[in-house]
Amino acid sequence: YHLRQEETDWFDKPRDGRSENGQEKRQGKGPYYPFPHLRVKLQRDPKDRSVSGNGLGIRVVGGKEVPGCNGDIGAYVAKVLPGGAAEQTGKILEGMQVLEWNGVLLTGKTYEEVQGLVGQPCNEAEVCVRLDLNMLAESEGSQHLDFHEHSKG
């Protein structure tokens, strides 16, 4: 009898665990992304008075088409200011897609909407960036193709 009880416990556990995880993700952790991404907390540098970097040493621009996403638009890191908070993390590079800014999804937002969000002064920002995509490269393999064309002719 004792054994049977343990067995049912064992059967219940994976299911419970899964549904809890699912809910946890939806509430606190933001959406689930099918590609590598990274959350980075940026602390505002009180000495950094530059307007463009918002004290966080990063300029985020929205409304740009995401390569390989059927015309979805997204935000990306347009500039990482030298010596700024973002550069010091060593994790944020120009051209990375910015998925979230302080928990707000930037995918599908226009240039103006993203400006409005990112332009708000804040002491720290949590940024979620995508790691496997460079929004500044035209598309995957485009340089590769050019290279072949040049070598042929």
Side-chain angles (χ1 to χ4, degrees), residues 44-74:
R44 188 191 186 111
D45 180 355
K47 295 188 291 293
D48 183 353
R49 294 254 175 258
S50 68
V51 183
S52 64
N54 198 12
L56 300 167
I58 184 175
R59 211 180 127 214
V60 177
V61 173
K64 183 172 164 58
E65 197 169 315
V66 182
C69 275
N70 308 326
D72 279 358
I73 57 171

PDB file of all heavy atoms in Angstrom, residues 44-74:
ATOM      1  N   ARG A  44      21.997  52.696 -13.991  1.00  0.00           N
ATOM      2  CA  ARG A  44      22.270  54.017 -14.525  1.00  0.00           C
ATOM      3  C   ARG A  44      23.553  54.573 -13.909  1.00  0.00           C
ATOM      4  O   ARG A  44      23.799  54.430 -12.715  1.00  0.00           O
ATOM      5  CB  ARG A  44      21.116  54.956 -14.179  1.00  0.00           C
ATOM      6  CG  ARG A  44      21.288  56.272 -14.873  1.00  0.00           C
ATOM      7  CD  ARG A  44      20.333  57.309 -14.357  1.00  0.00           C
ATOM      8  NE  ARG A  44      20.498  58.475 -15.210  1.00  0.00           N
ATOM      9  CZ  ARG A  44      19.583  58.903 -16.057  1.00  0.00           C
ATOM     10  NH1 ARG A  44      18.434  58.295 -16.134  1.00  0.00           N
ATOM     11  NH2 ARG A  44      19.811  59.931 -16.826  1.00  0.00           N
ATOM     12  N   ASP A  45      24.353  55.201 -14.754  1.00  0.00           N
ATOM     13  CA  ASP A  45      25.567  55.835 -14.269  1.00  0.00           C
ATOM     14  C   ASP A  45      25.269  57.308 -14.023  1.00  0.00           C
ATOM     15  O   ASP A  45      24.975  58.039 -14.961  1.00  0.00           O
ATOM     16  CB  ASP A  45      26.664  55.693 -15.329  1.00  0.00           C
ATOM     17  CG  ASP A  45      27.967  56.337 -14.883  1.00  0.00           C
ATOM     18  OD1 ASP A  45      27.971  56.959 -13.806  1.00  0.00           O
ATOM     19  OD2 ASP A  45      28.961  56.219 -15.619  1.00  0.00           O
ATOM     20  N   PRO A  46      25.298  57.734 -12.754  1.00  0.00           N
ATOM     21  CA  PRO A  46      24.924  59.132 -12.456  1.00  0.00           C
ATOM     22  C   PRO A  46      25.845  60.124 -13.153  1.00  0.00           C
ATOM     23  O   PRO A  46      25.466  61.253 -13.398  1.00  0.00           O
ATOM     24  CB  PRO A  46      25.074  59.244 -10.928  1.00  0.00           C
ATOM     25  CG  PRO A  46      25.778  57.999 -10.488  1.00  0.00           C
ATOM     26  CD  PRO A  46      25.666  56.968 -11.567  1.00  0.00           C
ATOM     27  N   LYS A  47      27.042  59.692 -13.503  1.00  0.00           N
ATOM     28  CA  LYS A  47      27.980  60.609 -14.165  1.00  0.00           C
ATOM     29  C   LYS A  47      27.673  60.724 -15.648  1.00  0.00           C
ATOM     30  O   LYS A  47      28.102  61.664 -16.294  1.00  0.00           O
ATOM     31  CB  LYS A  47      29.417  60.103 -13.987  1.00  0.00           C
ATOM     32  CG  LYS A  47      29.871  60.114 -12.534  1.00  0.00           C
ATOM     33  CD  LYS A  47      31.356  59.795 -12.413  1.00  0.00           C
ATOM     34  CE  LYS A  47      31.662  58.344 -12.781  1.00  0.00           C
ATOM     35  NZ  LYS A  47      31.090  57.363 -11.830  1.00  0.00           N
ATOM     36  N   ASP A  48      26.957  59.749 -16.176  1.00  0.00           N
ATOM     37  CA  ASP A  48      26.686  59.750 -17.607  1.00  0.00           C
ATOM     38  C   ASP A  48      25.484  60.641 -17.890  1.00  0.00           C
ATOM     39  O   ASP A  48      24.357  60.266 -17.653  1.00  0.00           O
ATOM     40  CB  ASP A  48      26.410  58.316 -18.076  1.00  0.00           C
ATOM     41  CG  ASP A  48      26.197  58.245 -19.584  1.00  0.00           C
ATOM     42  OD1 ASP A  48      26.137  59.321 -20.216  1.00  0.00           O
ATOM     43  OD2 ASP A  48      26.093  57.131 -20.114  1.00  0.00           O
ATOM     44  N   ARG A  49      25.742  61.811 -18.427  1.00  0.00           N
ATOM     45  CA  ARG A  49      24.655  62.758 -18.652  1.00  0.00           C
ATOM     46  C   ARG A  49      24.195  62.758 -20.104  1.00  0.00           C
ATOM     47  O   ARG A  49      23.386  63.569 -20.501  1.00  0.00           O
ATOM     48  CB  ARG A  49      25.111  64.177 -18.273  1.00  0.00           C
ATOM     49  CG  ARG A  49      25.379  64.322 -16.786  1.00  0.00           C
ATOM     50  CD  ARG A  49      24.261  65.109 -16.104  1.00  0.00           C
ATOM     51  NE  ARG A  49      24.454  65.153 -14.655  1.00  0.00           N
ATOM     52  CZ  ARG A  49      23.793  64.401 -13.810  1.00  0.00           C
ATOM     53  NH1 ARG A  49      22.913  63.525 -14.250  1.00  0.00           N
ATOM     54  NH2 ARG A  49      23.997  64.510 -12.509  1.00  0.00           N
ATOM     55  N   SER A  50      24.761  61.884 -20.906  1.00  0.00           N
ATOM     56  CA  SER A  50      24.430  61.930 -22.328  1.00  0.00           C
ATOM     57  C   SER A  50      22.966  61.548 -22.518  1.00  0.00           C
ATOM     58  O   SER A  50      22.484  60.573 -21.960  1.00  0.00           O
ATOM     59  CB  SER A  50      25.321  60.969 -23.106  1.00  0.00           C
ATOM     60  OG  SER A  50      24.992  59.650 -22.763  1.00  0.00           O
ATOM     61  N   VAL A  51      22.291  62.325 -23.334  1.00  0.00           N
ATOM     62  CA  VAL A  51      20.864  62.109 -23.519  1.00  0.00           C
ATOM     63  C   VAL A  51      20.630  60.848 -24.342  1.00  0.00           C
ATOM     64  O   VAL A  51      19.759  60.039 -24.037  1.00  0.00           O
ATOM     65  CB  VAL A  51      20.241  63.327 -24.235  1.00  0.00           C
ATOM     66  CG1 VAL A  51      18.737  63.134 -24.356  1.00  0.00           C
ATOM     67  CG2 VAL A  51      20.545  64.587 -23.456  1.00  0.00           C
ATOM     68  N   SER A  52      21.459  60.656 -25.369  1.00  0.00           N
ATOM     69  CA  SER A  52      21.174  59.560 -26.299  1.00  0.00           C
ATOM     70  C   SER A  52      21.269  58.211 -25.609  1.00  0.00           C
ATOM     71  O   SER A  52      20.542  57.295 -25.932  1.00  0.00           O
ATOM     72  CB  SER A  52      22.137  59.602 -27.479  1.00  0.00           C
ATOM     73  OG  SER A  52      23.456  59.377 -27.027  1.00  0.00           O
ATOM     74  N   GLY A  53      22.184  58.090 -24.646  1.00  0.00           N
ATOM     75  CA  GLY A  53      22.356  56.793 -24.011  1.00  0.00           C
ATOM     76  C   GLY A  53      21.491  56.619 -22.783  1.00  0.00           C
ATOM     77  O   GLY A  53      21.506  55.575 -22.156  1.00  0.00           O
ATOM     78  N   ASN A  54      20.757  57.673 -22.398  1.00  0.00           N
ATOM     79  CA  ASN A  54      19.820  57.555 -21.286  1.00  0.00           C
ATOM     80  C   ASN A  54      20.514  57.198 -19.977  1.00  0.00           C
ATOM     81  O   ASN A  54      19.916  56.635 -19.083  1.00  0.00           O
ATOM     82  CB  ASN A  54      18.772  56.479 -21.625  1.00  0.00           C
ATOM     83  CG  ASN A  54      17.549  56.614 -20.725  1.00  0.00           C
ATOM     84  OD1 ASN A  54      17.406  57.618 -20.024  1.00  0.00           O
ATOM     85  ND2 ASN A  54      16.679  55.639 -20.740  1.00  0.00           N
ATOM     86  N   GLY A  55      21.800  57.526 -19.872  1.00  0.00           N
ATOM     87  CA  GLY A  55      22.528  57.212 -18.640  1.00  0.00           C
ATOM     88  C   GLY A  55      22.876  55.741 -18.539  1.00  0.00           C
ATOM     89  O   GLY A  55      23.552  55.316 -17.619  1.00  0.00           O
ATOM     90  N   LEU A  56      22.387  54.941 -19.491  1.00  0.00           N
ATOM     91  CA  LEU A  56      22.635  53.502 -19.445  1.00  0.00           C
ATOM     92  C   LEU A  56      23.664  53.106 -20.493  1.00  0.00           C
ATOM     93  O   LEU A  56      24.047  51.953 -20.584  1.00  0.00           O
ATOM     94  CB  LEU A  56      21.332  52.729 -19.687  1.00  0.00           C
ATOM     95  CG  LEU A  56      20.233  53.013 -18.663  1.00  0.00           C
ATOM     96  CD1 LEU A  56      18.902  52.481 -19.147  1.00  0.00           C
ATOM     97  CD2 LEU A  56      20.569  52.419 -17.308  1.00  0.00           C
ATOM     98  N   GLY A  57      24.089  54.074 -21.286  1.00  0.00           N
ATOM     99  CA  GLY A  57      25.131  53.805 -22.262  1.00  0.00           C
ATOM    100  C   GLY A  57      24.663  52.987 -23.450  1.00  0.00           C
ATOM    101  O   GLY A  57      25.446  52.302 -24.092  1.00  0.00           O
ATOM    102  N   ILE A  58      23.365  53.071 -23.733  1.00  0.00           N
ATOM    103  CA  ILE A  58      22.854  52.241 -24.825  1.00  0.00           C
ATOM    104  C   ILE A  58      21.781  53.022 -25.575  1.00  0.00           C
ATOM    105  O   ILE A  58      21.008  53.760 -24.978  1.00  0.00           O
ATOM    106  CB  ILE A  58      22.271  50.926 -24.249  1.00  0.00           C
ATOM    107  CG1 ILE A  58      21.809  49.996 -25.363  1.00  0.00           C
ATOM    108  CG2 ILE A  58      21.137  51.206 -23.304  1.00  0.00           C
ATOM    109  CD1 ILE A  58      21.346  48.648 -24.851  1.00  0.00           C
ATOM    110  N   ARG A  59      21.795  52.888 -26.890  1.00  0.00           N
ATOM    111  CA  ARG A  59      20.736  53.515 -27.667  1.00  0.00           C
ATOM    112  C   ARG A  59      19.957  52.420 -28.364  1.00  0.00           C
ATOM    113  O   ARG A  59      20.527  51.623 -29.101  1.00  0.00           O
ATOM    114  CB  ARG A  59      21.341  54.466 -28.694  1.00  0.00           C
ATOM    115  CG  ARG A  59      20.413  55.624 -28.960  1.00  0.00           C
ATOM    116  CD  ARG A  59      20.964  56.584 -29.961  1.00  0.00           C
ATOM    117  NE  ARG A  59      19.923  56.728 -30.958  1.00  0.00           N
ATOM    118  CZ  ARG A  59      20.147  56.909 -32.242  1.00  0.00           C
ATOM    119  NH1 ARG A  59      21.355  56.970 -32.686  1.00  0.00           N
ATOM    120  NH2 ARG A  59      19.141  57.012 -33.063  1.00  0.00           N
ATOM    121  N   VAL A  60      18.671  52.367 -28.108  1.00  0.00           N
ATOM    122  CA  VAL A  60      17.834  51.319 -28.673  1.00  0.00           C
ATOM    123  C   VAL A  60      16.873  51.958 -29.662  1.00  0.00           C
ATOM    124  O   VAL A  60      16.229  52.956 -29.358  1.00  0.00           O
ATOM    125  CB  VAL A  60      17.047  50.591 -27.558  1.00  0.00           C
ATOM    126  CG1 VAL A  60      16.120  49.549 -28.160  1.00  0.00           C
ATOM    127  CG2 VAL A  60      18.009  49.942 -26.583  1.00  0.00           C
ATOM    128  N   VAL A  61      16.808  51.380 -30.849  1.00  0.00           N
ATOM    129  CA  VAL A  61      15.945  51.919 -31.885  1.00  0.00           C
ATOM    130  C   VAL A  61      14.948  50.836 -32.290  1.00  0.00           C
ATOM    131  O   VAL A  61      15.327  49.677 -32.466  1.00  0.00           O
ATOM    132  CB  VAL A  61      16.792  52.350 -33.103  1.00  0.00           C
ATOM    133  CG1 VAL A  61      15.900  52.751 -34.266  1.00  0.00           C
ATOM    134  CG2 VAL A  61      17.695  53.510 -32.728  1.00  0.00           C
ATOM    135  N   GLY A  62      13.683  51.229 -32.412  1.00  0.00           N
ATOM    136  CA  GLY A  62      12.648  50.247 -32.753  1.00  0.00           C
ATOM    137  C   GLY A  62      12.167  50.403 -34.174  1.00  0.00           C
ATOM    138  O   GLY A  62      12.605  51.278 -34.911  1.00  0.00           O
ATOM    139  N   GLY A  63      11.232  49.541 -34.555  1.00  0.00           N
ATOM    140  CA  GLY A  63      10.582  49.659 -35.854  1.00  0.00           C
ATOM    141  C   GLY A  63      11.424  49.154 -37.006  1.00  0.00           C
ATOM    142  O   GLY A  63      11.165  49.487 -38.154  1.00  0.00           O
ATOM    143  N   LYS A  64      12.441  48.359 -36.717  1.00  0.00           N
ATOM    144  CA  LYS A  64      13.270  47.825 -37.805  1.00  0.00           C
ATOM    145  C   LYS A  64      12.850  46.390 -38.096  1.00  0.00           C
ATOM    146  O   LYS A  64      12.549  45.643 -37.179  1.00  0.00           O
ATOM    147  CB  LYS A  64      14.738  47.865 -37.385  1.00  0.00           C
ATOM    148  CG  LYS A  64      15.699  47.405 -38.478  1.00  0.00           C
ATOM    149  CD  LYS A  64      17.127  47.677 -38.039  1.00  0.00           C
ATOM    150  CE  LYS A  64      18.156  46.919 -38.876  1.00  0.00           C
ATOM    151  NZ  LYS A  64      18.104  47.207 -40.297  1.00  0.00           N
ATOM    152  N   GLU A  65      12.842  46.052 -39.372  1.00  0.00           N
ATOM    153  CA  GLU A  65      12.424  44.705 -39.734  1.00  0.00           C
ATOM    154  C   GLU A  65      13.437  43.682 -39.221  1.00  0.00           C
ATOM    155  O   GLU A  65      14.637  43.859 -39.350  1.00  0.00           O
ATOM    156  CB  GLU A  65      12.298  44.598 -41.256  1.00  0.00           C
ATOM    157  CG  GLU A  65      11.487  43.395 -41.662  1.00  0.00           C
ATOM    158  CD  GLU A  65      11.135  43.417 -43.152  1.00  0.00           C
ATOM    159  OE1 GLU A  65      10.717  44.483 -43.645  1.00  0.00           O
ATOM    160  OE2 GLU A  65      11.287  42.369 -43.786  1.00  0.00           O
ATOM    161  N   VAL A  66      12.912  42.639 -38.595  1.00  0.00           N
ATOM    162  CA  VAL A  66      13.775  41.586 -38.060  1.00  0.00           C
ATOM    163  C   VAL A  66      14.078  40.603 -39.182  1.00  0.00           C
ATOM    164  O   VAL A  66      13.161  40.060 -39.780  1.00  0.00           O
ATOM    165  CB  VAL A  66      13.072  40.843 -36.899  1.00  0.00           C
ATOM    166  CG1 VAL A  66      13.996  39.792 -36.317  1.00  0.00           C
ATOM    167  CG2 VAL A  66      12.627  41.826 -35.832  1.00  0.00           C
ATOM    168  N   PRO A  67      15.362  40.379 -39.452  1.00  0.00           N
ATOM    169  CA  PRO A  67      15.701  39.450 -40.541  1.00  0.00           C
ATOM    170  C   PRO A  67      15.117  38.062 -40.283  1.00  0.00           C
ATOM    171  O   PRO A  67      15.169  37.571 -39.166  1.00  0.00           O
ATOM    172  CB  PRO A  67      17.230  39.386 -40.495  1.00  0.00           C
ATOM    173  CG  PRO A  67      17.668  40.550 -39.683  1.00  0.00           C
ATOM    174  CD  PRO A  67      16.528  40.931 -38.797  1.00  0.00           C
ATOM    175  N   GLY A  68      14.542  37.473 -41.294  1.00  0.00           N
ATOM    176  CA  GLY A  68      14.055  36.100 -41.192  1.00  0.00           C
ATOM    177  C   GLY A  68      12.799  35.946 -40.363  1.00  0.00           C
ATOM    178  O   GLY A  68      12.502  34.878 -39.880  1.00  0.00           O
ATOM    179  N   CYS A  69      12.050  37.027 -40.150  1.00  0.00           N
ATOM    180  CA  CYS A  69      10.850  36.929 -39.302  1.00  0.00           C
ATOM    181  C   CYS A  69       9.575  37.343 -40.037  1.00  0.00           C
ATOM    182  O   CYS A  69       8.656  37.867 -39.431  1.00  0.00           O
ATOM    183  CB  CYS A  69      11.004  37.791 -38.050  1.00  0.00           C
ATOM    184  SG  CYS A  69      11.860  36.933 -36.736  1.00  0.00           S
ATOM    185  N   ASN A  70       9.532  37.164 -41.336  1.00  0.00           N
ATOM    186  CA  ASN A  70       8.319  37.474 -42.109  1.00  0.00           C
ATOM    187  C   ASN A  70       7.819  38.887 -41.884  1.00  0.00           C
ATOM    188  O   ASN A  70       6.638  39.118 -41.650  1.00  0.00           O
ATOM    189  CB  ASN A  70       7.177  36.513 -41.767  1.00  0.00           C
ATOM    190  CG  ASN A  70       7.618  35.073 -41.890  1.00  0.00           C
ATOM    191  OD1 ASN A  70       8.435  34.764 -42.753  1.00  0.00           O
ATOM    192  ND2 ASN A  70       7.118  34.217 -41.035  1.00  0.00           N
ATOM    193  N   GLY A  71       8.722  39.834 -41.904  1.00  0.00           N
ATOM    194  CA  GLY A  71       8.289  41.226 -41.835  1.00  0.00           C
ATOM    195  C   GLY A  71       7.939  41.720 -40.450  1.00  0.00           C
ATOM    196  O   GLY A  71       7.429  42.816 -40.305  1.00  0.00           O
ATOM    197  N   ASP A  72       8.193  40.917 -39.404  1.00  0.00           N
ATOM    198  CA  ASP A  72       8.019  41.440 -38.047  1.00  0.00           C
ATOM    199  C   ASP A  72       8.980  42.593 -37.831  1.00  0.00           C
ATOM    200  O   ASP A  72      10.092  42.574 -38.350  1.00  0.00           O
ATOM    201  CB  ASP A  72       8.381  40.363 -37.006  1.00  0.00           C
ATOM    202  CG  ASP A  72       7.237  39.399 -36.808  1.00  0.00           C
ATOM    203  OD1 ASP A  72       6.184  39.608 -37.441  1.00  0.00           O
ATOM    204  OD2 ASP A  72       7.400  38.451 -36.036  1.00  0.00           O
ATOM    205  N   ILE A  73       8.546  43.564 -37.037  1.00  0.00           N
ATOM    206  CA  ILE A  73       9.494  44.614 -36.689  1.00  0.00           C
ATOM    207  C   ILE A  73       9.918  44.446 -35.239  1.00  0.00           C
ATOM    208  O   ILE A  73       9.186  43.894 -34.413  1.00  0.00           O
ATOM    209  CB  ILE A  73       8.927  46.039 -36.917  1.00  0.00           C
ATOM    210  CG1 ILE A  73       7.636  46.246 -36.144  1.00  0.00           C
ATOM    211  CG2 ILE A  73       8.747  46.305 -38.394  1.00  0.00           C
ATOM    212  CD1 ILE A  73       7.158  47.689 -36.152  1.00  0.00           C
ATOM    213  N   GLY A  74      11.099  44.919 -34.950  1.00  0.00           N
ATOM    214  CA  GLY A  74      11.614  44.792 -33.592  1.00  0.00           C
ATOM    215  C   GLY A  74      12.566  45.933 -33.297  1.00  0.00           C
ATOM    216  O   GLY A  74      12.808  46.794 -34.138  1.00  0.00           O
TER     217      GLY A  74
END
